[in-house]
Amino acid sequence: MRVVIAGGARGRALAEDLRMEGVEVIAVVAATAPAAVVADATADAAAAGLVAALSSADVLVVDADRAALTAALVAACDRFGVRIVARCTRASDRRLAERFGVRAVDADAPAREVIDPAAGDSTRPVGRGRGRVIVVWGAAGSPGRTTLAIGLAAELARDGRRVALVDADSHAPSVALATGLADEGPGFAAACRQAARGALSVDELERISLPHGGLSVLTGINRPGRWPELSVERVQAALTVCRDWADDVVVDVAASLELDEEIVSDLDGPRRNAATLGALRVADLVVAVVAADPVGISRFVRAHSELRAVIGATPVRILVNKTRPGVLGLDPRTQVRRAIERYAGAGEMWFAPADARAVDAALLSAQPVLRAAGRSALTAAIRRFVGEALEPPPPPPSPRRRRRRPSRRPVAPRV
């Protein structure tokens, strides 16, 4: 573990204790130096050196002071994948650390407790058990993967379950845009970097995720060029930790299922489709979204065999979206069902209508469909799909035989 300490004389003392514990301390700087260098990294050569140290560090230890712990510093550390530990002397210091979502320790805490999140931290969130990973996938085009992923996650969270929404789309991430969340520090990319170092935990996921109406959201990469950060190993490791963080983890992925090693010569290089393939391989359930038009159906049929080759025996729930009679005749559901049954061998499927007004309301308000248009036909379809395909209702109680009660009518006495 590589640590940067900001804190003057107390920082130098802590550095000596950490070195005795076998921890690599790469820099000891003034208390406000990290915040200053983040505000202006072009000041001098020393500032550039501190930025390089921060980018290679695992932990930054800083005083919980308004001049030393700033929003810009927290955002920069999120981009670098650096965990912040704030040393507190007063109750106001702890409130400041909680406001930024960073870990707080006492100023005189032992060195091991400073770098070990599990040592002496009574406020650490406790895992809720092995949750399930639900991956929302669809063939190329715009079948409505992101809209339905957000809607399904919101519906799953209605009964009090802890639900996480993850944007693992390495081609066109859009969860942050659809929910109105900031993506300066992509949460899922930071989680993947922490997972690669073996430092991802439940409290780290709490820190880097963003709340959105009862959901915990890990936003996707903010530039498509950052896709090499989402490797298969990192994605699978991050989603494995997410199982201990949430009851349901809804993952939005890209459409392409091509194996990159078949089309490139560098067998050890990064893969553009690694995030999609990695998420599908660890999924407990796959929601396959199909656009209800001739092009969308043909694309799904051709990609279905590739999907099965990736996921094996993982259950698939088919959700046919944008169902309308205009392109498929008077009975679109029957037409779609027959085509998918014949060419993809899939039997059971669910349907969601083409409801442009509800989707527009959701995008305008940056909310899930069920909150923006709670009485729409699309909301009813999502709730029916969750109730039948994702959370089957409990079986009805077995009927009991009604025992005939004795008649209470008076009986005439015999004469």
Side-chain angles (χ1 to χ4, degrees), residues 297 300-301 304 318 320 333-349 351:
I297 295 171
F300 171 76
V301 169
H304 183 260
I318 299 176
V320 182
R333 296 192 177 191
T334 301
Q335 300 293 335
V336 173
R337 192 184 302 277
R338 288 178 178 175
I340 294 179
E341 286 179 352
R342 179 176 180 182
Y343 296 107
E348 194 173 17
M349 62 196 72
F351 294 86

Coordinates of all heavy atoms in Angstrom, one line a residue, residues 297 300-301 304 318 320 333-349 351:
I297 N -35.9 -6.9 -34.1 CA -36.1 -8.3 -33.9 C -35.0 -9.1 -34.7 O -34.5 -10.1 -34.1 CB -37.5 -8.7 -34.4 CG1 -38.6 -8.1 -33.5 CG2 -37.7 -10.2 -34.4 CD1 -40.0 -8.2 -34.1
F300 N -31.8 -8.9 -32.7 CA -31.8 -9.7 -31.5 C -31.7 -11.2 -31.9 O -30.9 -11.9 -31.2 CB -33.1 -9.5 -30.8 CG -33.3 -10.5 -29.6 CD1 -32.6 -10.3 -28.4 CD2 -34.2 -11.6 -29.7 CE1 -32.7 -11.3 -27.4 CE2 -34.3 -12.5 -28.7 CZ -33.6 -12.3 -27.5
V301 N -32.3 -11.6 -32.9 CA -32.2 -13.1 -33.3 C -30.8 -13.4 -33.6 O -30.3 -14.5 -33.3 CB -33.2 -13.3 -34.5 CG1 -32.9 -14.7 -35.0 CG2 -34.7 -13.3 -34.0
H304 N -28.7 -13.5 -30.4 CA -29.1 -14.3 -29.3 C -28.1 -15.5 -29.1 O -27.8 -15.9 -28.0 CB -30.5 -14.8 -29.6 CG -31.0 -15.7 -28.4 ND1 -31.1 -17.1 -28.5 CD2 -31.6 -15.4 -27.2 CE1 -31.6 -17.5 -27.4 NE2 -31.9 -16.5 -26.6
I318 N -36.8 -12.1 -21.5 CA -36.9 -11.3 -22.7 C -38.0 -10.2 -22.5 O -39.1 -10.6 -22.2 CB -37.2 -12.1 -23.9 CG1 -36.1 -13.1 -24.2 CG2 -37.4 -11.3 -25.2 CD1 -36.4 -14.1 -25.3
V320 N -39.7 -7.2 -24.6 CA -39.9 -6.6 -25.9 C -40.4 -5.2 -25.6 O -41.5 -5.0 -25.1 CB -40.9 -7.4 -26.7 CG1 -41.1 -6.8 -28.1 CG2 -40.4 -8.9 -26.9
R333 N -47.9 -8.3 -30.8 CA -47.4 -9.2 -29.8 C -47.3 -10.6 -30.4 O -46.3 -11.3 -30.2 CB -48.2 -9.2 -28.5 CG -48.2 -7.9 -27.8 CD -48.8 -8.0 -26.4 NE -48.8 -6.8 -25.7 CZ -49.0 -6.7 -24.4 NH1 -49.4 -7.8 -23.7 NH2 -48.9 -5.5 -23.7
T334 N -48.4 -11.0 -31.1 CA -48.3 -12.4 -31.7 C -47.3 -12.4 -32.8 O -46.5 -13.5 -32.9 CB -49.7 -12.7 -32.3 OG1 -50.7 -12.6 -31.3 CG2 -49.7 -14.0 -32.9
Q335 N -47.1 -11.4 -33.6 CA -46.1 -11.4 -34.6 C -44.7 -11.5 -34.0 O -43.8 -12.3 -34.5 CB -46.2 -10.1 -35.4 CG -47.5 -9.9 -36.1 CD -47.7 -10.9 -37.2 OE1 -46.8 -11.5 -37.8 NE2 -49.0 -11.2 -37.5
V336 N -44.4 -10.7 -32.9 CA -43.1 -10.8 -32.3 C -42.8 -12.1 -31.6 O -41.8 -12.7 -31.8 CB -42.9 -9.6 -31.3 CG1 -41.7 -9.8 -30.5 CG2 -43.0 -8.3 -31.9
R337 N -43.9 -12.6 -30.9 CA -43.7 -13.9 -30.2 C -43.4 -15.0 -31.2 O -42.5 -15.9 -31.0 CB -45.0 -14.2 -29.5 CG -44.9 -15.4 -28.5 CD -46.2 -15.7 -27.8 NE -46.7 -14.5 -27.1 CZ -46.4 -14.1 -25.9 NH1 -45.5 -14.9 -25.2 NH2 -46.9 -13.1 -25.3
R338 N -44.1 -15.1 -32.3 CA -43.9 -16.1 -33.3 C -42.5 -16.1 -33.9 O -41.8 -17.1 -34.1 CB -44.9 -16.1 -34.4 CG -46.3 -16.5 -34.0 CD -47.3 -16.4 -35.1 NE -48.7 -16.8 -34.7 CZ -49.7 -16.7 -35.5 NH1 -49.6 -16.1 -36.7 NH2 -50.9 -17.2 -35.1
A339 N -42.0 -14.8 -34.2 CA -40.7 -14.7 -34.8 C -39.6 -15.1 -33.9 O -38.7 -15.8 -34.2 CB -40.5 -13.2 -35.3
I340 N -39.7 -14.7 -32.6 CA -38.6 -15.0 -31.6 C -38.7 -16.5 -31.3 O -37.6 -17.1 -31.1 CB -38.8 -14.1 -30.4 CG1 -38.5 -12.7 -30.7 CG2 -37.8 -14.6 -29.3 CD1 -38.6 -11.7 -29.6
E341 N -39.9 -17.1 -31.2 CA -40.0 -18.5 -30.9 C -39.4 -19.3 -32.0 O -38.7 -20.3 -31.8 CB -41.4 -18.9 -30.6 CG -42.0 -18.4 -29.3 CD -43.4 -18.8 -29.1 OE1 -44.0 -19.3 -30.1 OE2 -44.0 -18.6 -28.0
R342 N -39.6 -18.9 -33.3 CA -39.2 -19.7 -34.4 C -37.7 -19.6 -34.6 O -37.0 -20.6 -34.9 CB -39.9 -19.2 -35.7 CG -39.5 -19.9 -36.9 CD -40.3 -19.5 -38.1 NE -39.9 -20.2 -39.3 CZ -40.5 -20.0 -40.5 NH1 -41.5 -19.1 -40.6 NH2 -40.1 -20.7 -41.6
Y343 N -37.1 -18.3 -34.5 CA -35.7 -18.1 -35.0 C -34.8 -18.1 -33.8 O -33.6 -18.3 -34.0 CB -35.6 -16.8 -35.8 CG -36.4 -16.9 -37.0 CD1 -37.6 -16.2 -37.2 CD2 -36.0 -17.7 -38.1 CE1 -38.3 -16.2 -38.4 CE2 -36.7 -17.7 -39.3 CZ -37.8 -17.0 -39.4 OH -38.6 -17.0 -40.6
A344 N -35.2 -17.8 -32.6 CA -34.3 -17.8 -31.4 C -34.6 -18.9 -30.4 O -33.8 -19.1 -29.5 CB -34.4 -16.4 -30.7
G345 N -35.7 -19.6 -30.6 CA -36.0 -20.7 -29.7 C -36.4 -20.3 -28.3 O -36.4 -21.1 -27.4
A346 N -36.8 -19.0 -28.1 CA -37.2 -18.5 -26.8 C -38.7 -18.5 -26.7 O -39.4 -18.0 -27.7 CB -36.6 -17.1 -26.6
G347 N -39.3 -18.9 -25.6 CA -40.7 -19.0 -25.5 C -41.3 -17.9 -24.7 O -42.0 -17.0 -25.2
E348 N -41.0 -17.8 -23.4 CA -41.6 -16.8 -22.5 C -41.0 -15.4 -22.8 O -39.8 -15.3 -22.8 CB -41.5 -17.2 -21.1 CG -42.4 -16.5 -20.1 CD -42.3 -17.0 -18.7 OE1 -41.4 -17.8 -18.4 OE2 -43.2 -16.7 -17.9
M349 N -41.9 -14.4 -22.9 CA -41.4 -13.0 -23.0 C -42.5 -12.1 -22.5 O -43.7 -12.4 -22.4 CB -41.1 -12.7 -24.5 CG -42.2 -12.8 -25.5 SD -41.7 -12.9 -27.2 CE -41.0 -14.6 -27.2
F351 N -43.9 -7.8 -22.6 CA -44.0 -6.7 -23.6 C -44.2 -5.3 -22.8 O -44.9 -5.3 -21.8 CB -45.2 -6.9 -24.5 CG -45.0 -8.1 -25.4 CD1 -45.4 -9.4 -25.0 CD2 -44.5 -7.9 -26.7 CE1 -45.2 -10.5 -25.8 CE2 -44.4 -9.0 -27.5 CZ -44.7 -10.3 -27.1

